[in-house]
Amino acid sequence: MSKHLIDQAMQLLRANDRGTYTVPTYGLYPFQWNWDSVLSALGFLHFDEDRAWTEIETLFDNQWEDGMVPHIIFHEHDEGYFPGPDVWRTGRKVPTSGITQPPVAGFAVRRMLERAEQREDATRRARALLPKIHAWHEWFFRCRDPQGTGLVAIIHPWESGRDNSVDWDAAFGRVPTDGVEAFTRRDTSHANPDHRPTDEQYKRYIWLVQKFRSLGWDNSKLHDASPFQLVDPGFNAILTRSCSDLAELADALGEPEIAAQSRNFAEKSLAAMDTLWSEKWGQYLCRDRAIDELVDSPSIGGLLAVFAEIPAARAKVVAKRIAKLGELANFLVPSHDPSVPEYDGMRYWRGPAWLIVNYMIADGLARAGETAIVNRIKADSVKLIEESGFAEYYDPITAEPCGGGQFSWTAAMVIEFLDERVTA
């Protein structure tokens, strides 16, 4: 069965391959998405190393001069997605969005180099990517942590990758909708509207885009100008882990200055993460920077924090927390606690299980020695595929496939979970 699933996953990645980049799925997401692309590269690495490196190189070919790597790159014209380049208007030669996404590239490139069979080629390509990834990390701390707290804020829910999380509800409610230009959504023609964010949320998404556009996409201004400033523990854990991995990569490639700076970023960020800890929930919580309060919302963002090298005692408590969630859901890890009223098992990030987050949580817990819960997460992930195919996400109680189908990063994570070369 494992080989059969891996073969299917490889075929899916090939089907979504556009030569130098991968689309997340046909129709619903017809362009190159930032963290989708990087995580898909991990899947390609198992059967086509050259193609895996090309995926990440294409992403960084579209890095902005200030260091930001945008969350969407519009390589080709396609009317099937909203908001397209005509809404973003970022003025790039190759059109892009004007916001970013979770920075998994540092983690992925280190892992790709460690596993590479074509060592000389992989070393050359990793060396070329190293300063670009470091510039992205520098951009985060410069533009999204202007007070030097060690933790960065997202200024639009789309940056988190968890677009409609319950975590954002209160802060997002403060985002106005007046003056939003008329628009027609495209996502609900490709996926069940009950699985997607609401129209009211979309108005606020677009208000923020229009606000940032009015400031000329000047990243020195956008953080303070946004009414939405959320410090997400999962997002920061990904950044912290990538900084730490980039430090190791820089050491291996003979770049001591990048190594030292990256290690400093990681250490300061990891120390600051503890300010997000919740004894009540046994996990980390988001902080609403605009009002300087923790958000009392038990989402998967606070569990994803284990992707960074958090203290072992904290990791143990998070493992117990996930095990408890496993008593409420048949398939780990639900993106929101099924016991609270805001939970919605089929609506995007308000409850469904996502294999990419399962993968990162399992990776962090494996490093912390929490083997039992890691095995449960991996087993549940494979069962979801066996029962419901390569969906975007799944109802964690019924296993119903939700969102888009034939999803690239789901396929990549299946290969990662099942390939015998993969070690915890």
Side-chain angles (χ1 to χ4, degrees):
M1 176 60 80
S2 293
K3 185 179 185 307
H4 177 63
L5 287 179
I6 290 173
D7 287 346
Q8 284 186 308
M10 289 166 55
Q11 290 171 12
L12 193 162
L13 283 171
R14 288 294 195 202
N16 288 339
D17 183 0
R18 298 296 179 267
T20 58
Y21 67 95
T22 306
V23 298
T25 188
Y26 175 78
L28 181 60
Y29 300 113
F31 307 111
Q32 183 179 22
W33 261 259
N34 187 319
W35 71 325
D36 294 69
S37 188
V38 173
L39 292 170
S40 294
L42 290 174
F44 274 113
L45 189 73
H46 292 267
F47 60 97
D48 190 339
E49 285 190 21
D50 175 69
R51 183 62 189 78
W53 288 102
T54 298
E55 186 76 28
I56 297 182
E57 289 163 351
T58 301
L59 179 67
F60 278 88
D61 282 346
N62 292 277
Q63 184 172 28
W64 285 24
E65 289 76 13
D66 65 0
M68 187 190 79
V69 183
H71 96 294
I72 306 173
I73 302 164
F74 302 100
H75 290 286
E76 296 182 4
H77 180 75
D78 193 310
E79 293 288 349
Y81 178 80
F82 173 85
D86 58 321
V87 177
W88 293 96
R89 299 178 215 166
T90 53
R92 312 295 301 175
K93 183 177 180 181
V94 176
T96 75
S97 67
I99 57 175
T100 194
Q101 263 189 336
V104 289
F107 157 77
V109 168
R110 181 189 177 190
R111 182 152 289 188
M112 288 166 63
L113 182 59
E114 288 175 345
R115 294 178 178 170
E117 294 180 357
Q118 305 298 322
R119 294 291 301 179
E120 185 175 342
D121 182 62
T123 300
R124 174 184 62 81
R125 297 170 93 161
R127 190 184 302 280
L129 285 165
L130 182 70
K132 298 179 180 182
I133 299 172
H134 183 53
W136 191 18
H137 295 171
E138 287 183 309
W139 173 86
F140 271 112
F141 291 107
R142 183 175 70 252
C143 294
R144 296 303 176 78
D145 182 24
Q147 300 302 315
T149 68
L151 297 173
V152 305
I154 57 168
I155 60 171
H156 192 297
W158 286 341
E159 291 195 313
S160 69
R162 303 189 295 119
D163 302 13
N164 68 333
S165 172
V166 177
D167 294 349
W168 322 138
D169 285 0
F172 209 34
R174 297 196 298 270
V175 175
T177 59
D178 55 294
V180 171
E181 299 162 357
F183 62 84
T184 301
R185 292 176 62 176
R186 308 293 188 195
D187 58 317
T188 49
S189 67
H190 297 288
N192 186 335
D194 290 339
H195 299 175
R196 302 289 299 168
T198 65
D199 286 346
E200 198 61 26
Q201 287 169 328
Y202 253 79
K203 290 177 185 177
R204 289 177 165 82
Y205 296 148
I206 300 305
W207 188 93
L208 287 170
V209 170
Q210 292 178 191
K211 175 67 174 177
F212 303 153
R213 192 180 71 200
S214 74
L215 295 170
W217 298 107
D218 183 344
N219 274 303
S220 68
K221 300 177 181 177
L222 301 191
H223 175 279
D224 291 349
S226 179
F228 183 90
Q229 300 172 9
L230 267 291
V231 177
D232 175 5
F235 192 102
N236 277 274
I238 291 171
L239 176 57
T240 301
R241 174 68 180 275
S242 281
C243 286
S244 178
D245 283 347
L246 202 72
E248 297 298 320
L249 191 63
D251 277 337
L253 295 174
E255 295 288 348
E257 187 173 338
I258 290 179
Q261 291 175 351
S262 297
R263 202 160 276 119
N264 287 339
F265 284 152
E267 289 172 356
K268 183 174 181 179
S269 182
L270 196 60
M273 283 270 289
D274 215 49
T275 64
L276 306 179
W277 180 255
S278 168
E279 291 291 345
K280 170 187 172 182
W281 290 109
Q283 65 168 81
Y284 296 83
L285 298 178
C286 293
R287 180 176 296 280
D288 187 336
R289 182 172 278 173
I291 59 174
D292 195 26
E293 289 182 6
L294 288 179
V295 181
D296 191 29
S297 174
S299 81
I300 203 165
L303 306 176
L304 181 53
V306 298
F307 190 53
E309 200 167 352
I310 62 173
R314 294 280 195 240
K316 188 172 289 295
V317 175
V318 171
K320 290 179 180 176
R321 167 81 175 136
I322 295 172
K324 187 172 182 180
L325 290 173
E327 297 172 4
L328 303 171
N330 295 320
F331 301 91
L332 290 173
V333 180
S335 52
H336 206 71
D337 187 327
S339 71
V340 302
E342 296 85 0
Y343 169 83
D344 185 339
M346 297 177 70
R347 195 179 286 278
Y348 218 36
W349 288 94
R350 301 179 77 87
W354 294 71
L355 259 66
I356 47 109
V357 185
N358 282 7
Y359 170 76
M360 288 186 278
I361 289 174
D363 181 272
L365 289 175
R367 189 173 49 180
E370 299 294 335
T371 307
I373 196 65
V374 169
N375 290 340
R376 166 80 192 270
I377 292 170
K378 289 183 176 180
D380 284 2
S381 298
V382 174
K383 285 178 190 173
L384 284 169
I385 300 299
E386 291 172 342
E387 292 196 20
S388 300
F390 297 88
E392 185 176 3
Y393 46 97
Y394 307 84
D395 186 306
I397 295 174
T398 68
E400 181 172 341
C402 302
Q406 299 298 294
F407 226 79
S408 294
W409 69 5
T410 304
M413 297 303 94
V414 170
I415 299 173
E416 281 282 277
F417 278 135
L418 290 177
D419 194 299
E420 62 184 13
R421 289 187 299 163
V422 178
T423 56

